[in-house]
Each structure stands twice: as structure tokens, then as C-alpha cells.
């Protein structure tokens, strides 16, 4: 990444300032608590999944712009999808951040989430971007908590 | 009357740190993270290299000349530590892997012997995790309780109620000499005196103090004083536990193995006197010698001159940072070492740290292994700049420029 502006694009800054689907969700069918013990980023994710469809999803907590924007854009992209499709997004997002999915040359469903592809060049920030996705994975698998460690 | 202190030859000093003249992200490296780990000057690196290349063998074993000389170098380093903190005897200097291990050693030996159900351990509100978790582990095991000396919004300990907090159940007081987050220099001499008035020993965490202050364990009357090599221009993997002799001698062994014994039979082991009793196995020899060289290095520079230089940098940095709109300094104690933590309105420290890193400015961003301090100030994290003797006003200017760029990106 030659310039931090490549990562901190306007969309990420904007989602950090005004995160979508931010707040509590009760009642819910799935929830998980995600924690990055190294830096203290903390997210509580709640979902309503009916008939295999993510009907609603919201998150609360605190973290950096990368983790907050990642959470916000995740909720936008997951809402209305099937649970199976959400799982595919989790895997593709993780692969993009790990650098094993080349979003420019390989097929994927990530859409605007490719905004985060620059994170792979910032190893210290990978966990920030991945935390909400790891939390989503835990929530969908009935695990109460997840940690990036 | 104050004595004038000659300024440091900072350009000359900087030549001892190759990292400072090697491009970092294509820019000069501005290292403002000495509180996490100080850079190591060439004389220290070269001293360790000489030992590894020409003098290496194990210590306290064998009759070879090489072994004897390695032992001499290793024990000379212990003497350097003794002199550096004015300990009465080298027998009171125990090598450990670092501050954290030193505290764990005390918790697991002194603590397990002296702390029982219903007892209390009193810690300051600004301790980092290394001086909290070992005591929590002990307290859980023994059925004891941790109590906390509170602090005010400036990051100063509130000592008004200290005499009530220390009671007949208190078995130990643990306090950091200098806060790694707030920079606060705590009045440890006063705290120790007040604890001793109630017959309670005090452990002082000096990890952040020894690089900046003259430490005299006799003058302080500290019962235990602990620090790490790598924050004192030395290597990682080496630390020090100083203890009062009667306390150390009453403590049972912790780790068992070679070097900590007098004799071993299948029926019984008798233990070596201190400090060997607490130094099982082959010690970090190159690291101990390296720490000795680091003490030589900072002593030659002069701690008074280091303190004066860093104090001036702290004042300059404080003034410049305070002038940035939306920036709030966390930790505004009257007595501070060269550490500044701050938060920026609406911008998380991790983002600040990443962007500053790209500008070549290395700072720490996070909870600094002191989450209770973050909770006290109701913030998740801070950005922390910490200064050493090789830093300059230009480094502070680079920090300020970087912060302005962060704000520009987040506008």
C-alpha cells in the first residue's frame, strides 16, 4: 500500500462515521461476541435468521475505522442473503485479506467489500478487518464468543 | 541551587542507532516507541556479538578458562545492575526473563507463602497487566482479594485514603514507579514509607522508570524492585528482580533444575542460596552481558542529562500536541516521564497508528496492556508517543505533521 488513502477511502471513512445496522437487536435468533484481545476491539453481533435467510442483522461495540467499516459493510452485504451465501462471503473475505483470493482476477461475490483488499498489505490490521466476519461465522455456528487470537 | 546539566550530543548518539539512518517506508525512521522497547545502541549489540562470537560457553559450570571468563563477565553484569540501582549486594540481584517474570516469581514464592484466604493485595489503579494478573492468579488460588489505590483525572494516585486501604489483612502493595500509559511518576518513596508504617512490604514495578530516573532502592526502601533489559537500551529476554535479602532468603524456590541446588538425591534436594536459588537452568548469558553494556552506555551518557533532554522534549511535545484541535492528552500529572498518550476526536488510535507508521513515525496504539487504565478514563485505547535520549524536536514535529495528516484523511 503506497498511501494510507488507498485503504482509508471515502466509503470506509463514511461507514466509520455512520455505521449501518448499528445497535441492538432483540429478539434475535443468533448472536456472538467478538474480541480482539491484542487491541481491545469489541463487537456484539445479533441476527434474525428465518427459513435459512438472514432477515436482520445489527452490531454494537467499539473498534477502529477498519473494523467498524468492515462490520457496517458486512451487515449491508449479509442482510437478505441466505445463511449459505453469508458463509461464502465469510470465506471469500478471509481469503481476500489473507491474499489467497485475487479479487481482480478471480471470481467472487464480494462486490464493494473489495475496498478492504488493501488490508492484506497491513498485517497489523488484518485482525481488525476480519473480526466482524469471524464473529458472524461464530454466530451462525452457535458459538457465543470468538477471538482473533 | 540547580546545577547546570550539559546537553547530550544527540547527533553523535544517533549514529549509534543504525535504524535511525536507514529508510523506513522510504522515509527517515522516527522512533517514538521506547516505552514499548528501546532501540539497542551499537556498543550493546557489539558487546553481545563479541560474547557470542569469541567468549561463549555456559556459566557456573566446568573448569575451563573459557567457562571461568564467561562466568566472570556474567557476574560483572550483575554487579553493574547492583551499582545502577544502588543495591547493597549482588546477592540481591536475581536474573529473570523480564519484569513480568520477576513479578510472577514474587507472586509464586513470596505470595504463595504469605497470602492466605481473606488476605488482601493492594495495587495502584495504573498498573499494567503484568502487575495485575499474577496477583489475580494468586488471589484466586489462595482466596485472597485485590484492592485498588484510585487515581484522579490527571492520572495521579489519590493517596488520601491509603492509610485506610492498607490494613491488617494487606500482605503486599504493588505500584508502578512510572506509568507506561500516563507517564505519571508515582511518589513511591512516600507509598513505601506509609506501607512500612503498617508493616506491609512493597513491590515497585520499575520497567518504565529505570530508563529515565535515578533509582536508588535503598533510598526508596523498596522491598522488591523489578525491571526489564529491553526498555533500558538492552536486549529482550533479560530482567531483574531486586529484593531485600531477608525476604529473598525466606522465599522458597520457584523453578527447579540445574544451578539452583546445593545437592540432589532421590530422597531430597537442598537449595542454593539466593540469587542462584531462583536461577534454574542456563541463564540468558549474552543478554545479561548486553544489559551490563547498556547500563554502561546510559551511565556514560548520564541519567541527569538524559532526564533533562527528555523532559525538554516532553514539554515541547505537550505544548505542540495541546495546540491540535480535537486532541486530548490522557495523563496530565505534575510529575511525568517522557510518555504522552492522547486521543483524537472521532479517530481510533489504531487508525492513527497505521497512518503515522506510513509517515515513518512509530508509536504505540492500543490499550498498552493496561485495560483497567483505559476503563478508568472511559476510552478503548490511546495513541502513545514515548521519547528517549536519541529523539529530537524534529521528531516531535514529524509526529505533529503526521497527526494533522490523519485528521485530514478523516475529515
Amino acid at each position: 500500500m503506497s498511501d494510507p488513502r488507498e485503504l482509508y477511502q471515502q466509503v470506509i471513512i463514511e461507514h466509520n462515521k455512520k455505521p449501518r445496522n448499528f445497535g441492538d437487536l432483540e429478539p434475535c435468533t443468533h448472536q456472538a461476541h467478538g474480541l480482539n484481545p491484542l487491541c481491545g476491539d469489541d463487537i456484539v453481533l445479533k441476527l434474525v435468521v428465518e427459513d435459512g435467510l438472514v432477515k436482520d442483522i445489527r452490531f454494537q461495540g467499539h473498534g477502529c475505522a477498519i473494523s467498524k467499516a468492515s462490520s457496517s459493510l458486512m451487515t449491508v452485504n449479509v442482510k437478505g442473503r441466505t445463511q449459505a451465501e453469508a458463509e461464502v462471503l465469510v470465506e471469500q473475505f478471509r481469503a481476500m485479506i489473507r491474499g489467497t483470493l485475487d479479487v481482480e482476477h478471480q471470481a467472487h461475490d464480494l462486490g464493494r467489500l473489495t475496498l478492504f483488499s488493501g488490508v492484506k498489505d497491513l498485517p497489523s490490521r488484518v485482525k481488525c478487518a476480519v473480526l466482524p466476519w469471524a464473529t458472524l461465522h461464530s454466530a451462525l455456528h452457535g458459538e457465543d464468543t470468538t477471538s482473533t487470537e | 541551587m540547580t546545577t547546570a546539566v550539559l546537553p547530550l550530543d544527540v547527533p553523535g548518539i544517533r549514529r549509534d542507532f543504525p535504524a535511525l539512518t536507514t529508510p523506513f517506508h522510504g522515509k527517515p525512521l522516527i522512533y517514538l516507541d521506547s516505552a514499548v522497547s528501546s532501540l539497542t545502541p551499537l556498543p550493546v549489540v557489539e558487546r553481545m556479538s563479541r560474547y557470542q562470537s569469541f567468549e561463549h560457553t555456559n556459566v557456573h559450570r566446568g573448569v575451563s578458562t573459557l567457562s571461568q571468563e564467561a562466568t566472570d563477565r556474567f557476574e560483572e553484569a550483575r554487579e553493574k545492575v547492583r551499582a545502577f540501582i544502588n543495591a547493597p549486594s549482588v546477592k540481591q540481584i536475581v536474573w529473570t526473563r523480564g519484569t513480568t517474570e520477576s513479578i510472577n516469581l514474587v507472586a509464586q514464592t513470596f505470595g504463595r507463602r504469605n497470602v492466605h484466604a481473606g488476605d488482601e493485595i493492594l495495587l495502584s489503579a495504573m498498573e499494567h497487566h503484568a502487575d495485575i494478573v499474577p496477583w489475580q492468579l494468586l488471589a484466586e488460588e489462595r482466596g485472597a482479594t485485590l484492592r485498588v489505590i484510585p487515581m484522579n483525572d490527571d492520572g495521579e494516585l489519590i493517596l488520601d485514603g491509603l492509610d485506610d486501604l492498607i490494613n491488617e489483612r494487606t500482605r503486599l502493595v504493588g505500584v508502578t514507579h512510572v506509568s507506561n500509559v500516563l507517564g505519571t511518576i508515582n511518589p513511591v518513596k512516600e507509598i513505601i514509607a506509609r506501607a512500612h508504617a503498617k508493616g506491609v512490604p512493597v513491590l515497585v514495578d520499575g520497567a518504565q522508570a529505570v530508563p529515565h530516573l535515578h533509582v536508588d532502592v535503598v533510598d526508596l526502601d523498596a522491598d522488591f524492585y523489578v525491571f526489564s533489559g529491553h526498555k533500558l537500551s538492552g536486549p529482550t529476554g533479560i530482567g531483574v528482580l531486586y529484593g531485600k535479602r531477608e525476604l529473598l532468603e525466606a522465599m522458597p524456590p520457584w523453578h527447579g533444575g540445574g544451578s539452583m541446588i546445593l545437592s540432589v538425591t532421590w530422597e531430597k534436594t537442598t537449595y542454593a542460596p539466593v540469587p542462584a536459588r531462583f536461577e534454574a537452568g542456563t541463564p540468558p548469558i549474552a543478554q545479561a552481558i548486553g544489559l551490563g553494556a547498556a547500563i554502561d552506555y546510559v551511565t556514560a551518557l548520564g541519567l541527569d542529562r538524559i532526564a533533562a533532554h527528555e523532559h525538554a522534549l516532553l514539554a515541547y511535545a505537550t505544548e505542540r500536541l495541546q495546540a491540535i484541535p480535537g486532541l486530548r492528552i490522557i495523563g496530565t500529572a505534575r510529575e511525568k516521564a517522557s510518555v504522552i498518550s492522547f486521543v483524537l476526536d472521532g479517530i481510533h488510535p489504531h487508525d492513527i497508528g497505521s497512518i503515522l507508521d506510513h509517515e515513518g513515525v512509530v508509536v504505540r496504539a492500543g490499550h498498552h496492556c493496561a485495560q483497567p487504565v483505559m476503563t478508568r478514563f472511559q476510552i478503548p485505547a490511546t495513541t502513545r508517543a514515548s521519547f528517549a535520549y536519541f529523539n529530537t524536536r524534529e521528531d516531535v514535529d514529524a509526529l505533529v505533521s503526521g497527526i494533522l495528516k490523519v485528521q485530514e484523511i478523516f475529515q
Side-chain angles (χ1 to χ4, degrees):
Chain A
M1 194 182 67
S2 60
D3 193 309
R5 282 189 176 84
E6 288 177 23
L7 177 60
Y8 289 100
Q9 295 175 51
Q10 209 49 48
V11 178
I12 288 181
I13 298 288
E14 209 265 328
H15 273 265
N16 172 51
K17 274 187 189 161
K18 293 178 188 162
R20 317 296 193 267
N21 303 305
F22 188 82
D24 198 11
L25 181 60
E26 282 297 342
C28 65
T29 59
H30 296 67
Q31 64 174 306
H33 181 199
L35 195 64
N36 181 344
L38 197 65
C39 62
D41 282 0
D42 195 307
I43 174 180
V44 173
L45 187 68
K46 294 186 178 181
L47 299 94
V48 173
V49 181
E50 285 174 10
D51 304 325
L53 206 66
V54 179
K55 289 265 179 69
D56 206 353
I57 176 168
R58 282 186 213 165
F59 76 101
Q60 294 181 99
H62 57 78
C64 59
I66 304 293
S67 77
K68 214 191 258 182
S70 179
S71 302
S72 175
L73 278 155
M74 178 189 78
T75 60
V76 169
N77 279 269
V78 163
K79 198 169 175 177
R81 297 215 194 207
T82 65
Q83 188 169 335
E85 287 170 338
E87 294 279 13
V88 169
L89 281 182
V90 171
E91 284 316 304
Q92 290 184 352
F93 191 90
R94 283 175 158 167
M96 172 179 72
I97 301 291
R98 279 199 299 263
T100 55
L101 171 66
D102 179 349
V103 292
E104 288 193 15
H105 300 101
Q106 291 175 269
H108 60 81
D109 307 309
L110 292 169
R112 291 180 100 193
L113 293 166
T114 57
L115 284 165
F116 292 94
S117 62
V119 175
K120 68 177 181 298
D121 299 324
L122 286 173
S124 63
R125 306 305 300 280
V126 162
K127 289 172 180 173
C128 308
V130 166
L131 179 64
W133 296 88
T135 311
L136 173 62
H137 180 80
S138 292
L140 292 175
H141 286 80
E143 298 159 6
D144 292 338
T145 57
T146 189
S147 162
T148 54
E149 290 305 301
Chain B
M1 191 182 83
T2 52
T3 310
V5 177
L6 285 172
L8 292 173
D9 170 22
V10 176
I13 291 169
R14 290 174 69 84
R15 286 195 284 277
D16 284 336
F17 295 89
L20 297 176
T21 54
T22 304
F24 175 73
H25 294 319
K27 294 170 180 150
L29 171 66
I30 312 291
Y31 192 79
L32 302 179
D33 208 8
S34 292
V36 83
S37 197
S38 59
L39 298 179
T40 318
L42 279 175
V44 175
V45 175
E46 287 163 356
R47 183 65 195 89
M48 286 191 290
S49 174
R50 194 163 89 231
Y51 168 76
Q52 268 331 135
S53 301
F54 302 108
E55 304 168 351
H56 175 75
T57 186
N58 215 325
V59 293
H60 296 301
R61 291 161 175 81
V63 293
S64 70
T65 306
L66 203 59
S67 175
Q68 186 53 52
E69 288 180 351
T71 303
D72 290 347
R73 301 292 92 78
F74 179 70
E75 291 302 327
E76 280 167 17
R78 198 190 303 268
E79 164 57 24
K80 287 175 184 177
V81 170
R82 184 210 65 75
F84 186 66
I85 59 172
N86 193 36
S89 164
V90 286
K91 295 187 183 307
Q92 293 169 265
I93 305 298
V94 180
W95 295 122
T96 64
R97 284 189 300 146
T99 300
T100 301
E101 186 173 81
S102 296
I103 297 172
N104 276 278
L105 194 165
V106 176
Q108 291 299 314
T109 56
F110 171 88
R112 292 182 89 184
R113 179 151 287 186
N114 294 291
V115 177
H116 302 95
D119 288 344
E120 294 177 358
I121 297 155
L122 182 61
L123 303 172
S124 95
M126 65 180 77
E127 297 313 300
H128 65 145
H129 298 167
D131 202 24
I132 299 173
V133 183
W135 303 114
Q136 274 180 339
L137 288 168
L138 177 74
E140 281 170 22
E141 178 190 310
R142 312 301 285 180
T145 308
L146 300 191
R147 298 191 74 188
V148 180
I149 306 169
M151 65 174 153
N152 63 24
D153 291 341
D154 287 325
E156 295 171 324
L157 292 179
I158 301 168
L159 298 180
D160 298 348
L162 183 64
D163 297 330
D164 294 325
L165 281 169
I166 303 172
N167 60 45
E168 69 281 358
R169 290 184 300 277
T170 312
R171 292 293 165 261
L172 183 106
V173 175
V175 61
T176 188
H177 199 163
V178 171
S179 163
N180 70 319
V181 179
L182 309 165
T184 309
I185 302 173
N186 283 318
V188 290
K189 188 172 176 179
E190 179 194 341
I191 293 168
I192 290 167
R194 287 167 71 174
H196 285 178
K198 301 265 185 92
V200 176
V202 179
L203 180 145
V204 181
D205 176 350
Q208 299 292 346
V210 287
H212 310 291
L213 310 172
H214 271 297
V215 171
D216 182 328
V217 291
V218 173
D219 179 57
L220 292 175
D221 202 19
D223 299 280
F224 299 106
Y225 198 97
V226 299
F227 62 95
S228 302
H230 73 102
K231 296 189 200 289
L232 185 61
S233 304
T236 57
I238 185 77
V240 169
L241 162 64
Y242 158 83
K244 281 190 176 165
R245 200 154 174 176
E246 64 275 18
L247 291 173
L248 291 176
E249 286 176 350
M251 281 154 52
W254 183 32
H255 291 160
S259 292
M260 50 76 74
I261 55 94
L262 283 179
S263 70
V264 179
T265 67
W266 287 116
E267 289 73 35
K268 184 174 171 58
T269 295
T270 53
Y271 303 111
V274 291
R277 184 187 306 164
F278 301 113
E279 295 178 359
T282 296
I285 307 165
Q287 288 85 344
I289 291 171
L291 175 54
I295 287 174
D296 287 343
Y297 188 85
V298 296
T299 304
L301 294 181
L303 271 173
D304 287 342
R305 297 161 81 198
I306 289 173
H309 176 77
E310 292 175 348
H311 190 74
L313 273 183
L314 178 70
Y316 179 62
T318 304
E319 183 189 330
R320 290 224 56 194
L321 291 184
Q322 276 175 335
I324 297 174
L327 186 148
R328 179 163 64 101
I329 292 174
I330 306 295
T332 47
R334 282 159 293 180
E335 296 291 328
K336 273 187 75 171
S338 54
V339 169
I340 298 190
S341 273
F342 61 90
V343 292
L344 280 180
D345 281 350
I347 310 176
H348 195 281
H350 297 158
D351 300 309
I352 299 168
S354 280
I355 295 168
L356 287 178
D357 175 72
H358 189 267
E359 297 298 301
V361 180
V362 176
V363 295
R364 175 96 189 262
H367 54 54
H368 315 291
C369 299
Q371 284 182 311
V373 178
M374 301 297 116
T375 304
R376 166 63 181 76
F377 286 94
Q378 298 180 309
I379 48 177
T382 74
T383 306
R384 179 187 71 189
S386 50
F387 306 101
Y389 48 81
F390 52 74
N391 288 122
T392 62
R393 286 165 72 99
E394 288 73 25
D395 292 348
V396 175
D397 295 340
L399 171 67
V400 171
S401 299
I403 293 169
L404 296 177
K405 181 162 186 179
V406 172
Q407 289 185 317
E408 185 193 318
I409 289 174
F410 272 77
Q411 256 178 4

